[in-house]
Amino acid sequence: MEKESAQQFDTAADAYESSAFDIPVREHVEHYSIRNICGDVHGLPVLDVGCGTGLYIRRLARWRARPVIGVDISAGMLATAQSIEDTGPLGVTYLRRDLSEPCQCEPEYAQLSGNIPLALAVYVLCYATTREQLLAMCRTVRDELKPGACS
């Protein structure tokens, strides 16, 4: 996603976060479906790409996935996510990254890169503006995953 496009999300963090509670389909269909798809995540490292305000990575942390890492390009979304983490710590690490570019791994994340068994990407890939950008995003996520992992 182009950085200019990402800026639109910087000011939408509060609306995005409240939509999880204001729009019933998000709770009763999305969250339920993600729980069923992910299965038992207890003790598994999990990556949420395009985590936004951390809605899903917080759920994965509550389901006892460890470690849990959320990445997003939007500074505003990540600021809201970190504020929520600071208020009620679940052990989520948030990192700012552009998925269309290869990982410049942060020290706290480097040992997990290439060894993550589960990656989640909710409402992310649709923001690619070109086929090349979509392929780059998918490649970046694939490179983070353990061979044979689920995404």
Side-chain angles (χ1 to χ4, degrees):
M1 177 187 315
E2 295 176 23
K3 288 178 179 44
E4 298 79 33
S5 298
Q7 290 175 347
Q8 69 180 318
F9 295 102
D10 289 346
T11 58
D14 291 336
Y16 181 79
E17 182 65 24
S18 67
S19 74
F21 309 101
D22 297 342
I23 302 173
V25 72
R26 300 215 56 206
E27 177 68 26
H28 301 292
V29 176
E30 284 179 20
H31 292 264
Y32 173 82
S33 298
I34 287 171
R35 179 64 167 154
N36 285 331
I37 290 168
C38 291
D40 182 11
V41 296
H42 183 258
L44 293 179
V46 177
L47 175 66
D48 182 0
V49 295
C51 68
T53 60
L55 288 172
Y56 294 107
I57 198 67
R58 288 195 310 273
R59 291 221 177 216
L60 291 160
R62 286 186 195 104
W63 299 333
R64 301 185 312 178
R66 296 288 186 273
V68 285
I69 301 164
V71 298
D72 204 286
I73 195 172
S74 168
M77 290 283 190
L78 290 172
T80 297
Q82 190 61 57
S83 176
I84 293 167
E85 175 68 16
D86 292 344
T87 301
L90 293 170
V92 179
T93 299
Y94 292 104
L95 305 171
R96 187 165 186 214
R97 289 187 47 204
D98 180 346
L99 291 177
S100 66
E101 297 177 14
C103 179
Q104 305 296 320
C105 292
E106 296 79 357
E108 67 270 27
Y109 177 68
Q111 75 277 6
L112 292 173
S113 186
N115 290 305
I116 296 174
L118 178 66
L120 191 64
V122 179
Y123 303 125
V124 176
L125 300 177
C126 59
Y127 287 102
T129 57
T130 65
R131 179 184 171 137
E132 292 75 23
Q133 188 177 41
L134 176 61
L135 289 171
M137 292 167 75
C138 291
R139 191 174 303 115
T140 297
V141 174
R142 182 205 59 207
D143 291 347
E144 301 303 326
L145 292 172
K146 183 179 196 175
C150 179
S151 62

